[in-house]
Amino acid sequence: MTSTALPTTDELRARARGGLQNIGVDVAEGNDFHARTPITGESLLGLTAATDAATEEAIAAARTAFLTWRTTPAPRRGELVRRLGELLREHKSDLADLVTIEAGKIRSEALGEIQEMIDICDFAVGLSRQLYGRTIASERPGHRLAETWHPLGVVGVISAFNFPAAVWSWNTAIALVCGDTVVWKPSELTPLISLACDHLLARAAEEVGAPRDVHRLVLGDRAIGEKLVDDPRVALVSATGSTRMGREVGPRVAARFGRSLLELGGNNAAIVAPSADLDLAIQGIVFAAAGTAGQRCTTLRRLIVHRDIAGTFIERLTAAYHKLPIGNPFDDTTLVGPLISTTALDAMRGALSRVQAQGGKILAGGNRRLTEAAPSAAYTEPVLVRVDEQTDVVREETFAPILYVLTYDTLDEAIALHNDVPQGLSSSIFTRDQQEAEIFLSAAGSDCGIANVNIGTSGAEIGGAFGGEKDTGGGRESGSDAWKAYMRAATNTINYSSELALAQGVSFL
C-alpha cells in the first residue's frame, strides 16, 4: 500500500529553507558536502565543512568556556537548558520538518523526537538541583567522609542520522547542567537540523548570559570526529553509531586515558509467550520492527514465538505487514518512510540474499516502492522472514526493516536464543504470566540494558537510563543516574577534631 505522491525536491528545499529561516538560521552555503533528503534521494543545498583549524578552535573555545562554566552554580546552568526547552517548544513544527526532510521520519515520529528533546530539557532542569553526593561514616572520631561530584570538562558528542536531534539533546542537556561544555559533530547526513539546534542553543545562551562557547558545532566528515576522539582536551567522547565505529573509538579514547560513552548496535528480540495478549503483541511488534523504516538502534529484529501459537500469530503478523502504508513521510496516513539511502537498501538486499541461501523464507515484503517517482530514493516494504535457526546473518544487525521469526518450546530455550547474539541493547517479552515476566527481568533472563514486558523494544522514555551491554558498548545516556558519566567523583575527608587520627589505626610519628 503506497501513500500519496511525493513532494518534489524543490518543494522540500523550500520547506527546509523556510523552517531554517523561521528558526533564525543563516546557512553558510558552500561546496564541501551536500545536505540531501531521502524522500527523493536528491541534494538540497551545498554546505561548508569545518576545517582542521576551525575544529581546533572549537575545542579550544569550549575548553576556555569550561573554566568559567564549571564554577557557575548548577541551578543557573539549568536556566540555560530551561530556555533551550522553551525555544524547542516554540519551533517544534519547523524542527520536526527538518527531521522528516533529512532523516525521512514520518511526521508523528519526527514530532515525537522533538518532544523527546523538550522532555530531556525538563528533566535536566530538575537535575540541576539534584546533583547529589553522599556522606559516608568515618572510622575515625571527629572526621567526616563525603562524596562530591564535579564537572568533567569538554564533552565531544558524535551522533548518528537516525535520531539526529534527540541523541544530541540527551547528551547536551545533561552535560550542560553538570557543568561541562560540548563540541558536537553530527552525522553528515543531517546537517540542517544540527544547524537549527545549535542556533537555538546559542540564542538561549545569549538570552540567559551564558558563554556562547559552552556549545560548538563542527560539520564535516569522519576526520572531524577523529579529532574529538584523539584530543586530550576532550574529557568524554559520547559516540552513537555502529559497533564497528565503537571498536575504533573506544580504544583510541582509552589510549589517552579519556572516557567514552558508546551507544552502538542493537539486535533486539521479543519473545511471544502462549499467554500473551496477541492483539497487544501485534501492535507492539509491528511498530518496533517497521517504525522509522527499521532504522532505530532499538528496532525489533528477531521475534521468538512459542510453537503452540506460532501458526496463528505469524499469519496475523503477515497480514499486518501487507497493510503497511509506505511512502511520503509528510502524509499523515504513511507509517513507513524511506531508508536513508540506496546504500542502506543494498545492505538490506544483501542480508535477505544471505538468509534465503541459509534456508530463510520471506513471508511478506521486500519489494522496492516508488522507483519511478523517486529513482534515487530507497522506499521498501518491511520484510518478515521465517527462519529455523539463528544463523550468522540473523545474529548480525542489518539497519533496515527485516524481522526474523523463530519458534521455541520452553522459556529457557527462548531466553537462550534471545541472548545468543553479540549485541545487548533492548528486549521484550509479551506474556500475562507473572512468573515468566519476572524470570525474563531477572539476572537469569534478558542480558540487555533495556528489558520490557508487554511493550516493544523501541520507544524508550527519557526518565530511564538508555544503553546496552556487550557489543552495544555499555554506555548510559538520558535519565536515571546517567548524569554521573558527565562528572567526576571526589572523595573528601574532613577532620574537625584536634587530633590527627590515621585510618586503620596506623601510628606514625
Side-chain angles (χ1 to χ4, degrees):
M1 186 169 145
T2 303
S3 63
T4 58
L6 299 178
T8 67
T9 301
D10 285 342
E11 290 170 337
L12 293 168
R13 184 181 298 113
R15 191 163 183 169
R17 288 187 185 277
L20 290 167
Q21 185 176 14
N22 292 342
I23 292 166
V25 180
D26 183 15
V27 179
E29 296 191 36
N31 296 310
D32 294 333
F33 70 107
H34 283 78
R36 58 177 296 280
T37 175
I39 297 174
T40 62
E42 295 176 350
S43 173
L44 294 170
L45 65 155
L47 296 170
T48 300
T51 62
D52 288 351
T55 305
E56 160 68 26
E57 188 272 331
I59 296 171
R63 174 62 189 175
T64 299
F66 169 70
L67 302 179
T68 300
W69 192 240
R70 65 183 176 181
T71 57
T72 301
R76 283 188 54 198
R77 300 193 296 247
E79 284 299 298
L80 171 59
V81 177
R82 178 191 60 76
R83 183 59 185 142
L84 173 62
E86 291 172 348
L87 292 172
L88 293 174
R89 282 182 172 88
E90 290 177 27
H91 296 284
K92 183 176 179 179
S93 182
D94 288 322
L95 291 165
D97 278 357
L98 293 173
V99 169
T100 295
I101 290 168
E102 288 195 293
K105 287 190 177 183
I106 64 172
R107 185 67 175 167
S108 67
E109 291 195 66
L111 287 166
E113 174 159 358
I114 308 307
Q115 185 60 50
E116 195 166 303
M117 301 172 73
I118 295 166
D119 293 343
I120 195 64
C121 287
D122 287 348
F123 179 92
V125 172
L127 179 65
S128 70
R129 294 181 181 270
Q130 300 179 75
L131 300 173
Y132 299 140
R134 69 180 85 190
T135 299
I136 306 164
S138 173
E139 67 183 61
R140 291 172 282 186
H143 286 63
R144 177 169 62 86
L145 281 176
E147 175 189 82
T148 53
W149 290 88
H150 301 295
L152 187 61
V154 178
V155 174
V157 176
I158 301 172
S159 59
F161 78 86
N162 59 328
F163 278 85
V167 169
W168 165 77
S169 69
W170 291 357
N171 284 277
T172 301
I174 303 298
L176 288 174
V177 299
C178 287
D180 302 326
T181 56
V182 175
V183 179
W184 181 24
K185 191 277 176 197
S187 168
E188 303 98 297
L189 300 176
T190 52
L192 301 184
I193 185 64
S194 308
L195 287 165
C197 292
D198 176 63
H199 177 82
L200 291 177
L201 182 49
R203 177 179 162 187
E206 181 179 5
E207 292 179 0
V208 304
R212 167 63 182 93
D213 293 327
V214 295
H215 182 266
R216 294 294 296 268
L217 172 69
V218 284
L219 296 179
D221 60 13
R222 170 192 173 116
I224 291 175
E226 290 178 339
K227 288 188 176 298
L228 296 178
V229 167
D230 295 333
D231 197 306
R233 293 169 297 180
V234 179
L236 170 68
V237 175
S238 178
T240 302
S242 67
T243 297
R244 182 181 61 184
M245 179 270 286
R247 290 193 193 284
E248 295 183 33
V249 169
R252 286 172 67 166
V253 176
R256 61 174 177 83
F257 297 107
R259 297 191 193 181
S260 59
L261 193 165
L262 302 176
E263 297 288 355
L264 310 175
N267 192 355
N268 315 294
I271 297 169
V272 183
S275 68
D277 179 330
L278 298 189
D279 290 335
L280 184 72
I282 290 286
Q283 292 178 56
I285 287 163
V286 174
F287 170 67
T292 327
Q295 297 173 120
R296 291 180 180 231
C297 52
T298 54
T299 289
L300 181 63
R301 308 201 182 281
R302 296 175 297 131
L303 184 63
I304 306 166
V305 186
H306 194 278
R307 198 176 305 277
D308 289 351
I309 61 169
T312 300
F313 189 78
I314 294 171
E315 183 178 332
R316 290 185 60 184
L317 190 60
T318 302
Y321 263 59
H322 283 308
K323 297 176 183 177
L324 287 172
I326 301 163
N328 178 9
F330 279 112
D331 182 343
D332 288 340
T333 66
T334 297
L335 294 180
V336 181
L339 291 175
I340 191 66
S341 67
T342 53
T343 301
L345 179 60
D346 290 342
M348 177 179 174
R349 287 172 164 172
L352 290 175
S353 294
R354 288 173 61 197
V355 77
Q356 286 178 288
Q358 295 169 359
K361 179 183 178 183
I362 294 179
L363 303 178
N367 298 308
R368 189 172 179 180
R369 296 282 191 87
L370 296 164
T371 51
E372 291 186 11
S376 299
Y379 292 87
T380 185
E381 298 167 347
V383 186
L384 200 60
V385 185
R386 180 72 170 90
V387 294
D388 294 325
E389 59 180 323
Q390 203 151 255
T391 59
D392 56 351
V393 67
V394 178
R395 297 179 75 251
E396 297 172 4
E397 178 190 40
T398 301
F399 217 60
I402 303 174
L403 180 60
Y404 302 111
V405 184
L406 303 104
T407 55
Y408 76 97
D409 294 303
T410 67
L411 183 61
D412 285 346
E413 178 190 357
I415 291 173
L417 272 173
H418 177 282
N419 293 348
D420 186 29
V421 293
Q423 311 84 0
L425 178 53
S426 188
S427 58
S428 174
I429 187 170
F430 288 89
T431 180
R432 286 179 291 193
D433 184 316
Q434 183 180 1
Q435 184 179 45
E436 284 186 326
E438 293 294 341
I439 290 172
F440 183 75
L441 299 177
S442 76
S446 167
D447 63 357
C448 295
I450 299 170
N452 299 331
V453 175
N454 293 329
I455 191 170
T457 55
S458 59
E461 297 183 36
I462 58 92
F466 181 91
E469 300 301 320
K470 304 189 292 186
D471 278 7
T472 302
R476 292 296 184 274
E477 295 172 334
S478 192
S480 186
D481 62 351
W483 61 271
K484 292 180 178 179
Y486 303 87
M487 303 195 82
R488 60 179 179 86
T491 300
N492 313 130
T493 304
I494 302 96
N495 178 7
Y496 58 89
S497 75
S498 58
E499 303 289 334
L500 184 64
L502 302 179
Q504 292 84 43
V506 172
S507 178
F508 195 81
L509 291 182

